Amino acid sequence: MREHGEVSDRADSGGPWWRDAVVYQVYPRSFQDSDGDGEGDLRGIAARLEHVRQLGADAIWLSPVYPSPMADGGYDVADYEQVDPRFGTLADADALIAAAHERGLRLLMDVVPCHTSIEHPWFAEHPERYVWSPRDDGPPNNWIASFGGPAWSRDPRTGRWYLHSFYPEQPDLDWRRQDVRDAVAGALRFWLARGVDGFRLDAVDHLLKDSQLRDDPPASAPPVLPEHADAERLEQIHSRNAPDIGGALAALREAAGDTLLAGEVYLPWRQLAPYLAHVDCAFAFELLHAPWEAAAIRAAIAAALQDDSSGEQVAWVLSNHDFPRLPDRVGARNARAAAMLSLTLPGAVFVYQGDELGMADGPGGDPPHDRAGRDRHRHPMRWDDDLPHGDFTVSEAQPWLPAIAVAGGGVAQQRTDPDSILHLYRDLIALRRTLGAGLTFLGEDEGVADGVLAYRRGDEHLVALNLGDEPRPAPSAGRVLRRTHAARTPAGLAAPVQLLPGEGFLAMI
Ligand code: NOJ
């Protein structure tokens, strides 16, 4: 494990720091409230950094903390170079960056370049920076917003129609304009000057669209990655993913220098080449959406690794603030196998806060905070079951979403339980550093039973996971380094002959 205060640059392994890194996603509103207003904040995050360090993560990705009317949980930014008072101040951000670095943790900001909040001063003061319909009597085409409904709305002030790839409160910037590129690049420089180590780039597949604003044709098949039902009816070949995306991304790259750019590009991996030419890594969403079956999971991993099994440009993600949490998506029984899977893949891996506790979805807000129904995946972190609100906030406060209990207990409880999923995450993150390069799947010929996913890492390590509903014979292996369920067989023993559903191991070959 790294020493306190040491920010490793992986110079020994010859790669940049993010190669095979573990990035821990903090959803600031739900991590830790320090001032008793029921919402998490930057000082709260600083106070909980030790948890992230002990987990063994390399970096933190901070979902947006900028001033925002919160129509989209902060992804509607009203000022790229400030902190929303609900989260603290710029001084708090500086203190958090410094505190993270002291603990050897890097910090990534979330940049939302595709759109601003409709309340960003630019919308009134620089309307030319946005995408407008050339006609004043309505939308110029049939484009659909990602959350459903038309992607065009009428600006009541001017009567003109503007484009919004997401909520109407999020007008799209026109990334063909140099002043837009310069302005957002300036925001990246602003945060780099404050010491951040890189950026997660939001929704970059929506950054550039067809300059002629042509209609999207009707879809002939369901999309590879699921969309809102309205959006799935069209093949989105013009409303996003324009072929000349390179110029826009190059502007972001130039501003970022050699710091990390992790792209959220919501497209199948085979379409990512123009993005990967400029960003360091991109999320592999096919794996997140793959059904929990050995063949489908294998195909999704193979799609992202393609010919390069080092996973050099892959950011694995099984969970984030937009999708049902792991126990709800893959089943509670499989949450540990999901952890073992993502943490033993080659490439960077992103872990969403609470996953390390096995946290499930909650009831959501009433009335909802998010109109797209994502409150359920955003409940407060559970620090200690013995304290009010799980110690997310003070007892008198009303958390913005209920601080729900977690089946396996809060952080304090799981810390003392060697069979907890928290220990599994920690152990796997530590073991991950020792795994060999590349990934090779094992098949039937190597004795892998139906329903079992098995792969080698380098020449020495083997991972086997039973993703099916029945007990299955385990592939033969040497000494076990970690089992998903530690209490059943301690590490260091010979590999088991059978894997129960949801069970798996990491072993020497
Ligand atoms: C992706 C973000 O993760 C999501 O929360 C947001 O709603 C959209 N991009 C739009 O910014």
Side-chain angles (χ1 to χ4, degrees):
M1 188 173 278
R2 268 174 284 120
E3 290 303 313
H4 191 77
E6 186 189 337
V7 180
S8 109
D9 60 5
R10 295 275 166 89
D12 44 346
S13 58
W17 69 264
W18 56 82
R19 184 82 40 85
D20 295 328
V22 176
V23 182
Y24 184 86
Q25 181 191 355
V26 168
Y27 193 71
R29 212 175 178 184
S30 296
F31 200 58
Q32 177 65 54
D33 178 18
S34 75
D35 57 9
D37 66 355
E39 296 191 44
D41 46 49
L42 293 173
R43 287 183 182 205
I45 299 167
R48 294 292 192 187
L49 283 178
E50 200 47 28
H51 170 69
V52 186
R53 192 193 70 83
Q54 284 179 12
L55 199 59
D58 299 278
I60 288 174
W61 152 32
L62 214 55
S63 277
V65 292
Y66 315 106
S68 167
M70 289 280 166
D72 184 12
Y75 286 89
D76 47 327
V77 178
D79 184 346
Y80 290 112
E81 300 181 11
Q82 249 308 341
V83 168
D84 193 296
R86 77 177 68 224
F87 294 123
T89 62
L90 278 174
D92 293 335
D94 293 342
L96 175 62
I97 296 164
H101 288 169
E102 267 169 37
R103 285 177 173 73
L105 291 164
R106 290 189 156 86
L107 196 125
L108 310 178
M109 294 298 278
D110 204 324
V111 168
V112 189
C114 167
H115 44 262
T116 67
S117 160
I118 200 156
E119 291 182 31
H120 195 299
W122 293 349
F123 194 66
E125 292 165 15
H126 289 289
E128 72 283 359
R129 292 187 182 175
Y130 294 82
V131 182
W132 297 90
S133 170
R135 317 166 15 178
D136 278 345
D137 59 346
N141 60 32
N142 67 349
W143 294 354
I144 295 292
S146 293
F147 296 129
W152 300 89
S153 286
R154 188 173 170 276
D155 170 24
R157 217 171 44 88
T158 59
R160 295 170 65 206
W161 292 74
Y162 63 91
L163 178 67
H164 52 87
S165 293
F166 294 89
Y167 288 128
E169 293 93 329
Q170 295 167 293
D172 279 24
L173 288 164
D174 181 354
W175 271 84
R176 290 208 159 71
R177 295 179 61 95
Q178 192 59 42
D179 54 355
V180 167
R181 294 178 183 187
D182 292 345
V184 179
L188 267 67
R189 291 199 184 93
F190 173 87
W191 288 102
L192 287 172
R194 303 195 97 89
V196 306
D197 303 284
F199 305 91
R200 175 259 190 193
L201 297 177
D202 184 73
V204 274
D205 50 304
H206 283 279
L207 210 52
L208 217 66
K209 19 265 161 182
D210 182 38
S211 58
Q212 298 169 55
L213 304 178
R214 284 172 288 185
D215 273 0
D216 278 335
S220 49
V224 175
L225 303 176
E227 303 267 353
H228 185 282
D230 290 355
E232 286 195 356
R233 280 199 278 277
L234 297 177
E235 196 155 343
Q236 299 167 40
I237 54 169
H238 295 311
S239 55
R240 61 181 176 135
N241 191 25
D244 52 339
I245 181 70
L249 292 174
L252 292 170
R253 166 50 72 198
E254 198 193 333
D258 61 1
T259 64
L260 173 63
L261 287 183
E264 189 213 23
V265 195
Y266 196 70
L267 291 170
W269 193 267
R270 61 181 150 74
Q271 288 181 257
L272 295 194
Y275 298 85
L276 293 171
H278 299 277
V279 302
D280 298 292
C281 59
F283 294 114
F285 281 111
E286 275 136 311
L287 180 62
L288 187 147
H289 289 297
W292 198 248
E293 294 157 10
I297 296 284
R298 178 175 168 158
I301 295 169
L305 291 180
Q306 293 189 341
D307 306 328
D308 170 23
S309 79
S310 71
E312 211 165 288
Q313 288 200 282
V314 187
W316 301 106
V317 58
L318 282 184
S319 168
N320 67 26
H321 61 291
D322 290 331
F323 300 106
R325 279 187 170 274
L326 277 167
D328 297 86
R329 227 185 44 253
V330 305
R333 186 180 69 188
N334 295 312
R336 286 165 180 255
M340 184 165 278
L341 172 70
S342 63
L343 294 170
T344 56
L345 293 175
V349 58
F350 282 60
V351 173
Y352 179 38
Q353 70 179 48
D355 282 353
E356 74 278 28
L357 304 178
M359 197 165 174
D361 279 349
D366 184 19
H369 297 268
D370 178 53
R371 310 202 297 270
R374 294 170 296 177
D375 292 345
R376 290 174 298 129
H377 331 313
R378 299 174 177 182
H379 284 265
M381 262 298 275
R382 189 77 181 173
W383 298 105
D384 190 338
D385 291 343
D386 295 336
L387 292 171
H389 308 303
D391 205 20
F392 163 67
T393 182
V394 294
S395 57
E396 311 78 57
Q398 199 52 41
W400 76 284
L401 282 175
I404 52 169
V406 177
V411 173
Q413 287 66 37
Q414 295 205 25
R415 203 176 269 160
T416 57
D417 172 6
D419 193 33
S420 65
I421 192 166
L422 177 61
H423 276 259
L424 177 67
Y425 268 84
R426 276 191 202 160
D427 291 352
L428 287 172
I429 290 172
L431 285 164
R432 175 179 176 77
R433 320 276 176 210
T434 67
L435 302 180
L439 177 148
T440 319
F441 288 110
L442 302 188
E444 261 174 59
D445 298 350
E446 285 106 339
V448 178
D450 207 30
V452 172
L453 180 75
Y455 46 89
R456 274 193 212 112
R457 287 296 313 271
D459 299 327
E460 293 185 352
H461 296 106
L462 173 81
V463 177
L465 301 162
N466 182 357
L467 309 192
D469 296 329
E470 305 289 336
R472 288 283 176 225
S476 63
R479 186 168 58 89
V480 170
L481 300 174
R482 189 57 160 97
R483 289 188 66 157
T484 46
H485 300 76
R488 289 191 202 153
T489 309
L493 295 186
V497 289
Q498 178 179 262
L499 289 174
L500 296 178
E503 251 192 339
F505 61 75
L506 164 64
M508 304 303 292
I509 285 176

